[in-house]
Structures are given as structure tokens and as C-alpha cells.
Amino acid sequence: MSNLEITAASSADTFADTPFHSGERAVQQRVGVLEKMATRGQLIRSFMPDQHRDFFQQLPFMIVGSVDRRQQPWASIVTGAPGFVTSPDAGHLAIHAPLLPADPLQQTLVEHAAIGLLGIEPHTRRRNRMNGKVEKSDAAGWTLKVEQSFGNCPKYIQARRPSLVEDADAAAPVVHRSGQLDSAMQKLIAASDTFFIATAYFGKPVDESAVASTANNRQHGVDVSHRGGKPGFVRIDDEKTLTVPDFVGNFFFNTIGNLVEHPRAGLLFIDFVSGDLLYLAVSAELIWDGPEVAAFKGAERLLRFHVEQAIRVEASLPLRWSEAELSPALAPMGSWQA
């Protein structure tokens, strides 16, 4: 009931032209949308449309997913004045920004690394995704080659506006590392209405003998996504365990499908008042049904995370945020409180 094992979807020949890998298709099959989603693969492109290119270039921050040498995913954030991201052509993004102190990207951002990007503008509830590979990296920044580009709906995004703060004389942030959640980490999580999740896929292409396009070549990929809920929607079961409801989405099942194949994830929590960042490396399990799922109104399933590494960096993020306007999509959803 609570493990990630799931029967694989139909034959590779049937899905030779789909951008969805075996884990994503298996979950689509489980929930009854496999055939429907086979016709929606064209929504995932191997290039960025102009509106996506323009969108990325206007943002003051982006969320980044990467993996370390142990195949552990991490979720990170990069930030700068709008324009710190440029798009020289429809197949590339260039990021010109220093990495934040203690951010896992300090170790994972190397040439040819798989990267997932989420461009999100909370106050307009717009978001676009891009997954690709690092083509080059140096002191000036790094360039990504697009492999997959697609949009996301505005569901579950809390509307808050970021603004950059500059403090060139600020001391190096204090970094706290642990194998479990200390009281300050738990306090940050308990108040959160948003987090970001990075996952990875290490399988084979749909058809090794005839990979028709870059979008189908899913030998190795990273994805990073947004999760939103009412404050406290991430339940702290103990200092090593978190439980989160998974709401209905676009049926791509990028995150869930990756976890079926590789049950590890990276989580990023942001304190929108202080600028503290909390990076978590976790193992994951899915709870597909049962009384716990039924008890949370609106939950399609639950995600349970087991903390393996935790890094909290005080006042690391040079952004501050307006008060949040809760997503109207969350109004009918439940909470862990009675």
C-alpha cells in the first residue's frame, strides 16, 4: 500500500513517440489517463517558445533541480536582478548569477550535468518548466541546452511579490547541517504554504534503437516542481519524517513518475520573511490510498519523506516578499488540523 512499486505501462513500441518515461506512464495508467496523455505529448517541446524565453528573462529568481554524485536530487534557487537569465536562442538559457552559500549547486553544477528549471512568478501565478543539460559553466555563469520545455497551470501558487534586497557588507550566512530536523527547521516547515521538489530519472530511452528526438531521450533527466497548500500542509511526523498531500494536477506526473523509478528527492523550503533557506535530501514513499489519504480532503495520494540530510542557511536569500494571497484552488482542500 505504501511502497513505490507499480506495474509498468504498455509496450515501448506503443509509446515510441511519447516524451513520458516508463514511471510517468505507469502512474498515468494507474489513474486511468494513459491514453489521454499519449495525445498530449506535443505540449512538451524540445525548444522554448518565445513567450517562455521572455518569461525567464524577466524573473528575479529561478528554482533549480540537480543531482549529486550519489544520485541524490537537490532543489536549489538562483537569483539576481531581472535579466540575470538570458536566452540567446530557443534552445538555450544562460544564467549569470553567483551561487548562494552552502547551496548544493556548489557541488552539482558541472558541465554535462542534468538540470531541471522552474521559472515561477508567484504574484501572477505564472510558471514554466525547462529540463536540460549544462553545456558550459565558468566564473561568469552557466548555459543550459534545452531538452524539454513546457508550461504549468497556476494551481496552488500563493500570490506573493518578491523584491531584491542588497547588502554588500553582509557577513557570511550561518549554516546549520544535520541528519534530522532541529527545532528551527521544524518551525520553518510548520509555517510553510509552499515548497519545491526536485526528482530524477536514470532509466533508458523509450526505444533505444530509434530515439526520434531529443525530447524522447530520457536516459537521464532532472525535474523540479512547485507544491503549495494551506499553511501547515506539510505534516511533521517526527524529526526524520514528513507527510504531504498530493493534489490533482496536469496528469504529466513528472514528480510522481520519477519517484516510482528513483524514490529520492530534494526539497527546498523558503522563509519568506527572513530569507532563510532549508535544503533537504530525502528518500520518498507513496501512499496511494487508505484512511490517511481519505482523511485529507482533496488529496489524491500522500507523499512521505524520510530526511537524510538537512541544511539550513540563515538569511541566505536576497529576496523579501509581500504578504501571500492564498491560491483559490486551495479553498476546498483540507488540512491536518481537525
Side-chain angles (χ1 to χ4, degrees):
M1 179 181 72
S2 62
N3 62 35
L4 285 165
E5 295 178 4
I6 187 170
T7 303
S10 301
S11 69
D13 289 341
T14 304
F15 295 93
D17 294 327
T18 181
F20 300 113
H21 64 64
S22 58
E24 294 162 335
R25 298 197 313 276
V27 182
Q28 291 166 3
Q29 183 180 56
R30 182 183 180 111
V31 302
V33 297
L34 183 63
E35 292 185 5
K36 171 186 174 181
M37 297 309 297
T39 66
R40 297 183 65 189
Q42 70 273 16
L43 298 176
I44 300 177
R45 309 172 182 89
S46 59
F47 64 92
M48 293 177 293
D50 287 345
Q51 63 173 330
H52 288 203
R53 297 174 65 197
D54 293 342
F55 178 69
F56 283 122
Q57 293 177 118
Q58 74 186 31
L59 298 175
F61 75 98
M62 288 197 309
I63 306 299
V64 184
S66 64
V67 292
D68 64 22
R69 293 181 179 180
R70 300 183 304 109
Q71 298 188 339
Q72 171 63 54
W74 292 92
S76 299
I77 185 169
V78 292
T79 185
F84 83 97
V85 178
T86 59
S87 177
D89 56 62
H92 292 87
L93 278 183
I95 294 89
H96 311 277
L99 301 181
L100 295 176
D103 191 293
L105 280 174
Q106 298 274 5
Q107 306 300 321
T108 60
L109 187 62
V110 296
E111 290 187 11
H112 311 301
I115 292 290
L117 283 184
L118 170 65
I120 183 168
E121 193 174 62
H123 61 284
T124 63
R125 296 193 170 100
R126 288 184 63 192
R127 56 176 165 173
N128 291 312
R129 306 258 278 280
M130 195 277 271
N131 303 332
K133 296 287 195 302
V134 177
E135 204 163 72
K136 64 178 180 179
S137 176
D138 55 36
W142 37 292
T143 301
L144 287 175
K145 176 70 174 70
V146 177
E147 292 186 346
Q148 292 189 326
S149 173
F150 53 102
N152 269 173
C153 70
K155 276 185 178 180
Y156 317 125
I157 298 175
Q158 327 297 9
R160 48 168 56 93
R161 183 183 293 271
S163 59
L164 282 166
V165 295
E166 295 186 11
D167 188 359
D169 298 324
V174 177
V175 179
H176 306 266
R177 298 179 186 270
S178 177
Q180 60 186 29
L181 300 170
D182 63 24
S183 58
M185 296 171 182
Q186 292 187 40
K187 182 179 179 181
L188 196 164
I189 292 169
S192 292
D193 57 34
T194 299
F195 73 93
F196 302 94
I197 177 169
T199 55
Y201 174 72
F202 297 96
K204 297 178 180 179
V206 171
D207 182 351
E208 288 186 75
S209 63
V211 177
S213 70
T214 302
N216 284 347
N217 190 352
R218 302 299 307 281
Q219 287 178 305
H220 180 189
V222 180
D223 183 82
V224 66
S225 185
H226 160 278
R227 289 291 186 272
K230 296 175 180 178
F233 80 114
V234 180
R235 189 179 73 193
I236 302 169
D237 299 325
D238 57 48
E239 66 276 5
K240 295 277 288 186
T241 313
L242 304 173
T243 300
V244 185
D246 188 57
F247 303 132
V248 66
N250 58 10
F251 299 114
F252 283 13
F253 291 115
N254 305 119
T255 296
I256 303 298
N258 283 351
L259 291 175
V260 165
E261 298 284 348
H262 185 67
R264 297 164 76 176
L267 311 182
L268 173 66
F269 291 87
I270 299 172
D271 186 320
F272 294 106
V273 175
S274 69
D276 286 12
L277 295 176
L278 176 60
Y279 308 89
L280 300 181
V282 302
S283 59
E285 60 177 308
L286 278 166
I287 301 173
W288 294 100
D289 48 36
E292 276 194 291
V293 179
F296 197 106
K297 186 177 179 181
E300 299 287 306
R301 61 201 65 82
L302 300 179
L303 284 165
R304 181 153 291 150
F305 300 120
H306 304 282
V307 176
E308 298 182 0
Q309 296 181 64
I311 306 169
R312 183 172 68 90
V313 189
E314 295 184 22
S316 176
L317 188 65
L319 293 170
R320 296 299 179 267
W321 309 74
S322 64
E323 289 292 324
E325 178 187 331
L326 200 67
S327 168
L330 291 168
M333 302 305 183
S335 85
W336 292 117
Q337 286 73 40

